[in-house]
Amino acid sequence: MPYENLLKESFLGPWLPVPGSKSRQQLHYISIAHWHESAKFMPARPDLRDAVLHCPSAKEARKFAKARQQHWRGDWALVRHAVLVAGLAFMALDRPDLELLEVETTLLVHQLGELKLTESFLELCVARFKEWGQGPRISTFGAATAPEHVIGKKLSKVVQNKPTWTLVSLCNKQAAWNIHDWALAQHVPVQYVGKPKLGTSASVMSELVDASNQLVVFEVKGGKKADVIIQKARAKKVSVTLELFSPQELSAAQLV
């Protein structure tokens, strides 16, 4: 096992909007406990979320959150399993050196014991985390400019029979943040490709394809923008789903 105490291992989480700004920041979690406790305040209280992230230890994070239980999200009891699984997935994606998916189930449950959650709860979360590790990695192309109703209908159909999956996403100005934020709201982990301050080069798009086993392409009818990435995906045996929409639909969406 490449670590002694899982709750002392940090990781980078999702890129989230900075309150009152158009920019985004990638959140840093000093432990999986900080992820779990801070999520109790999302999405309504990002200020309390950030306060949890600054707590010096898992114990202090739990203490801070418990003292402010009146501000927890109302559906916490329903989503807490999904939240912890997503946190483990983000940790696994950012810290492959920890080899979390290879850790034996009972040992991983034991390591998570310091979260002070019931063993049955942790066993269920670890089982779901292991299932996530076998799930598909899905990326998109053209979604940043496609009509919202087209995107929503298609993606809902693509993932409806996939209880666990990962969104592979850019993290620069060309990222489809609409899909990114929708995925996070569904507690779907995100694997980031590229760098925030760099453009979307051919090598970055190749990296996107390499990280995926399914590519969902949105293209206006008669358009050619997706031709190159479709060819790359098919050459690498990545499943491609193409969704075409009319120029009229695009024009209507741009007027909204």
Side-chain angles (χ1 to χ4, degrees), residues 39-44 69 71-77 79 83 185 187:
K40 294 174 178 178
F41 302 108
M42 288 299 290
Q69 189 167 350
H71 299 298
W72 290 10
R73 54 185 297 165
D75 62 349
W76 178 245
V79 303
V83 166
H187 311 292

Side-chain angles (χ1 to χ4, degrees), residues 136-199:
R137 303 294 196 265
I138 302 174
S139 59
T140 66
F141 181 87
T145 55
E148 289 289 339
H149 73 280
V150 173
I151 297 171
K153 182 178 180 181
K154 187 61 180 181
L155 283 181
S156 295
K157 185 176 181 180
V158 168
V159 304
Q160 65 181 351
N161 295 320
K162 298 176 175 62
T164 60
W165 61 284
T166 302
L167 175 68
V168 181
S169 173
L170 301 172
C171 55
N172 57 18
K173 292 182 179 180
Q174 284 73 49
W177 293 117
N178 49 349
I179 291 179
H180 174 275
D181 294 346
W182 169 79
L184 289 183
Q186 306 301 315
H187 311 292
V188 173
V190 182
Q191 179 176 348
Y192 296 105
V193 172
K195 301 295 182 182
K197 295 183 179 180
L198 297 180

Side-chain angles (χ1 to χ4, degrees), residues 14-165:
W15 283 88
L16 296 179
V18 176
S21 170
K22 293 183 178 181
S23 62
R24 290 183 178 245
Q25 61 180 343
Q26 188 174 25
L27 299 187
H28 178 255
Y29 298 86
I30 64 174
S31 78
I32 189 66
H34 288 73
W35 166 278
H36 192 253
E37 299 299 331
S38 66
K40 294 174 178 178
F41 302 108
M42 288 299 290
R45 293 299 301 271
D47 57 326
L48 294 178
R49 172 204 69 195
D50 292 348
V52 171
L53 300 188
H54 287 94
C55 290
S57 66
K59 181 179 180 179
E60 289 299 320
R62 286 196 303 272
K63 182 178 178 181
F64 180 94
K66 186 175 182 180
R68 294 158 180 81
Q69 189 167 350
Q70 71 271 26
H71 299 298
W72 290 10
R73 54 185 297 165
D75 62 349
W76 178 245
L78 299 176
V79 303
R80 63 193 190 115
H81 291 84
V83 166
L84 183 54
V85 173
L88 289 170
F90 268 106
M91 178 181 265
L93 290 168
D94 185 60
R95 295 289 307 279
D97 57 299
L98 298 178
E99 301 175 0
L100 288 185
L101 286 168
E102 282 70 53
V103 177
E104 201 271 329
T105 296
T106 56
L107 181 55
L108 188 52
V109 169
H110 175 72
Q111 283 281 320
L112 292 170
E114 288 188 46
L115 290 175
K116 306 302 180 183
L117 301 168
T118 66
E119 185 171 337
S120 59
F121 175 85
L122 293 175
E123 287 174 345
L124 177 58
C125 289
V126 169
R128 291 184 181 181
F129 169 64
K130 298 283 188 176
E131 291 175 5
W132 164 80
Q134 302 300 315
R137 303 294 196 265
I138 302 174
S139 59
T140 66
F141 181 87
T145 55
E148 289 289 339
H149 73 280
V150 173
I151 297 171
K153 182 178 180 181
K154 187 61 180 181
L155 283 181
S156 295
K157 185 176 181 180
V158 168
V159 304
Q160 65 181 351
N161 295 320
K162 298 176 175 62
T164 60
W165 61 284

